């Protein structure tokens, strides 16, 4: 997918921990995630994402995340 092809490998390796941290947050809590994406020119650009749980399943499992980068 696009994220796997364009995100810097070091940052991509940190995504699972970020998702786990999001799953453990309280409702309304916002987490930040800094990462690099590769522009079509080959240049690496930094992004700062503010993410929070958006929807959970009946058992509390994280189903959707709302984020702004």
């Amino acid at each position: 997918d696009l994220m796997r092809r364009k995100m810097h490998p070091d940052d991509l390796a940190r995504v699972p921990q970020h998702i786990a941290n999001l799953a453990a947050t309280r409702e309304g809590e916002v987490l930040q995630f800094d990462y690099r994406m590769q522009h079509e020119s080959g240049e690496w650009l930094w992004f700062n994402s503010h993410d929070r749980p958006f929807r959970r399943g009946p058992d509390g499992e994280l189903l959707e995340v709302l984020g702004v980068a």
Side-chain angles (χ1 to χ4, degrees):
D1 74 328
L2 180 65
M3 186 172 82
R4 292 186 195 283
R5 288 183 288 138
K6 294 293 184 175
M7 184 178 277
H8 192 282
D10 293 345
D11 302 327
L12 185 61
R14 295 184 303 114
V15 168
Q17 183 60 55
H18 181 61
I19 298 299
N21 291 344
L22 280 166
T25 63
R26 297 180 311 258
E27 287 304 313
E29 187 175 357
V30 176
L31 299 182
Q32 291 188 49
F33 186 66
D34 294 320
Y35 60 96
R36 292 160 284 188
M37 298 291 281
Q38 191 170 35
H39 188 270
E40 61 186 33
S41 70
E43 179 182 10
W44 290 103
L45 304 173
W46 280 99
F47 288 82
N48 176 264
S49 181
H50 296 249
D51 307 316
R52 71 174 185 89
F54 183 69
R55 188 167 68 95
R56 295 182 188 270
D59 61 353
E61 176 187 13
L62 181 64
L63 300 176
E64 293 179 344
V65 174
L66 178 63
V68 176

